[in-house]
Amino acid sequence: MSRKKSPLDRNSCCHDLAAWLRRQRKKSNLTYRQMEAKAGSYSASTFSRADSGCHIPSYAVVDAYTEACGANKEHARQLWIKALLSSPHKYGLQVPTIDTCLYAGQLIQLMIRLRLTSGQPSLRKLEQNANKAGRVLPKSTLADVLRGKRAPSRKILEAFIFACGVSEQEAELWVDALKRTQRTRWIQDELNR
């Protein structure tokens, strides 16, 4: 006999996601063990933690949970993104807006958030999207930028934002942000001489 789940905290950033996952499991009439057997890649306890509301599960777990229950994957992805964006401190997503960004690290965080809200396309997909827009975006270079190993160049930034579907008008804000980060870096270098 399974234990009764604890009630969800309505103030939790992942309340909506956890509540939706629980409803999908109930609709499918599956136990966590049955979901484990169906999905094969995650344990019953992993699925139980996913709908506990105590933390935001990885997208891979949400996807497997949704698949096992036969639920709408797109809706699950939207709820997962909403949970991430409503928990900025934990996931490093509390950054200034594009028009107040001053440091390269902040710009990179904005790039990560843009990728997330664009549906978290793979680096290969972003590279393909950039190529379709007539731009070059090597996925290895982009990986280094998103990991914070290097600051984005103007060409890389523009290719990335267009690959994510940013409009020409909004692109100007991104380029202005890049210029501000470069000025800040120059000022810091001058002060350190």
Side-chain angles (χ1 to χ4, degrees):
M1 174 133 179
S2 63
R3 285 184 250 162
K4 185 166 172 58
K5 295 290 274 189
S6 299
L8 294 171
D9 176 2
R10 286 210 162 275
N11 297 321
S12 168
C13 62
C14 53
H15 173 272
D16 293 349
L17 174 63
W20 184 83
L21 289 172
R22 286 182 180 188
R23 284 192 305 273
Q24 300 318 302
R25 188 173 75 85
K26 188 173 182 176
K27 281 182 192 175
S28 69
N29 206 25
L30 293 172
T31 66
Y32 293 118
R33 294 260 180 244
Q34 290 168 326
M35 289 172 63
E36 175 183 12
K38 222 173 168 184
S41 52
Y42 294 99
S43 68
S45 61
T46 298
F47 288 132
S48 178
R49 281 192 307 273
D51 71 12
S52 69
C54 295
H55 73 286
I56 301 171
S58 71
Y59 181 70
V61 170
V62 171
D63 189 57
Y65 192 115
T66 305
E67 176 80 25
C69 293
N72 183 323
K73 287 186 169 196
E74 179 57 25
H75 189 69
R77 187 180 69 78
Q78 291 299 324
L79 288 172
W80 180 76
I81 289 171
K82 179 184 171 192
L84 282 180
L85 293 176
S86 66
S87 177
H89 295 289
K90 187 170 183 182
Y91 292 92
L93 294 169
Q94 183 170 0
V95 295
T97 59
I98 194 66
D99 56 343
T100 61
C101 176
L102 291 174
Y103 301 99
Q106 294 172 331
L107 182 61
I108 291 167
Q109 287 182 317
L110 285 167
M111 291 172 69
I112 292 167
R113 182 165 55 187
L114 176 61
R115 181 179 177 211
L116 180 66
T117 57
S118 299
Q120 193 73 1
S122 68
L123 298 181
R124 181 176 308 282
K125 181 67 175 165
L126 287 169
E127 183 178 45
Q128 292 167 351
N129 290 352
N131 288 340
K132 288 178 190 172
R135 299 180 182 270
V136 177
L137 183 62
K139 63 182 192 265
S140 59
T141 303
L142 180 57
D144 285 348
V145 169
L146 295 176
R147 287 186 189 119
K149 290 184 177 180
R150 66 189 327 180
S153 67
R154 182 175 177 154
K155 285 184 177 186
I156 292 297
L157 177 68
E158 287 180 339
F160 172 78
I161 61 176
F162 287 122
C164 289
V166 169
S167 69
E168 290 282 343
Q169 185 178 5
E170 193 179 347
E172 291 177 30
L173 295 172
W174 285 87
V175 172
D176 289 345
L178 176 64
K179 289 176 184 175
R180 279 194 308 278
T181 67
Q182 291 169 338
R183 276 194 304 272
T184 302
R185 177 64 187 201
W186 179 83
I187 292 168
Q188 288 174 329
D189 289 346
E190 288 298 309
L191 291 174
N192 290 331
R193 284 186 178 192

